[in-house]
Amino acid sequence: MKLLIDFFPIILFFAAFKLWGIYAATGVAIAATIVQIAYIRLRHGKVEPMQWLSLGVIVLFGGATLLAHSETFIKWKPTVLYWLMGGTLLLGQLVFRKNFIKSLMGTQIELPDAVWRQLNWGWAGFFTAMGVLNLWVAYTFDTDTWVNFKLFGGIGLMIAFVVAQALYLSRFIKEDEAHPRPEDAQP
């Protein structure tokens, strides 16, 4: 269910684009993101900082797209978001000496610090590459191809990266973490 909520604006953007074009889709994406944030706030009581950032970026770049009647702004939106996420990971690691990937996942899995650093660098690199790839598709292909890439390519590459990461991490998971005994299960 959480995955559906996370991708709700992207799926609606895609559907609206196919039905009504880029400007209607942009308006739908802005509205869907506002609804998404409101739902998360009501359901969970707390909205994560990256979700607020995503809302700000879609309102800013989507609003600029609608006001200027130029699809360039909405095409830059994923890149800006990817680069902000990658930049946050880099700044955390290099400036604040804080590994945000470990902060997010550290309670779920135990890994050596060197592996956490590799994960952090890996995600920062992935987000940077995704931002560049988005711009390449946006400026090399037509808008229809870019919208298809935004949904299928972006999500597909994210899934592939997560699977590759899981395979890499499987080398570091201890046997007792991978197969908990029934008596250790939480009620």
Side-chain angles (χ1 to χ4, degrees), residues 2-155:
K2 182 182 179 332
L3 196 59
L4 180 62
I5 298 299
D6 289 344
F7 291 117
F8 173 72
I10 295 170
I11 293 166
L12 288 183
F13 174 83
F14 178 80
F17 174 80
K18 296 299 181 181
L19 293 171
W20 304 300
I22 192 69
Y23 300 109
T26 299
V28 165
I30 293 168
T33 304
I34 291 169
V35 168
Q36 173 195 43
I37 296 299
Y39 172 81
I40 292 169
R41 176 93 167 128
L42 290 171
R43 179 90 167 119
H44 302 288
K46 182 179 183 221
V47 178
E48 297 297 324
M50 289 308 288
Q51 292 168 323
W52 284 117
L53 181 65
S54 181
L55 174 63
V57 170
I58 187 63
V59 168
L60 179 67
F61 284 82
T65 294
L66 296 175
L67 289 173
H69 209 68
S70 171
E71 60 189 46
T72 300
F73 296 104
I74 198 66
K75 288 181 176 180
W76 267 88
K77 179 250 170 203
T79 292
V80 169
L81 199 55
Y82 286 135
W83 287 352
L84 284 171
M85 290 188 292
T88 299
L89 294 174
L90 288 176
L91 278 174
Q93 187 72 43
L94 297 174
V95 175
F96 300 109
R97 302 285 183 221
K98 180 113 171 114
N99 186 317
F100 292 129
I101 297 295
K102 183 177 181 181
S103 296
L104 288 172
M105 298 173 50
T107 59
Q108 299 166 358
I109 186 172
E110 186 177 324
L111 297 169
D113 283 339
V115 175
W116 283 118
R117 276 191 302 279
Q118 289 173 339
L119 282 178
N120 199 67
W121 288 112
W123 276 102
F126 175 77
F127 287 134
T128 301
M130 286 296 291
V132 170
L133 184 58
N134 176 69
L135 289 179
W136 179 74
V137 172
Y139 287 103
T140 304
F141 300 98
D142 63 4
T143 301
D144 190 56
T145 302
W146 174 77
V147 169
N148 288 331
F149 169 76
K150 183 173 165 37
L151 178 64
F152 301 111
I155 292 173

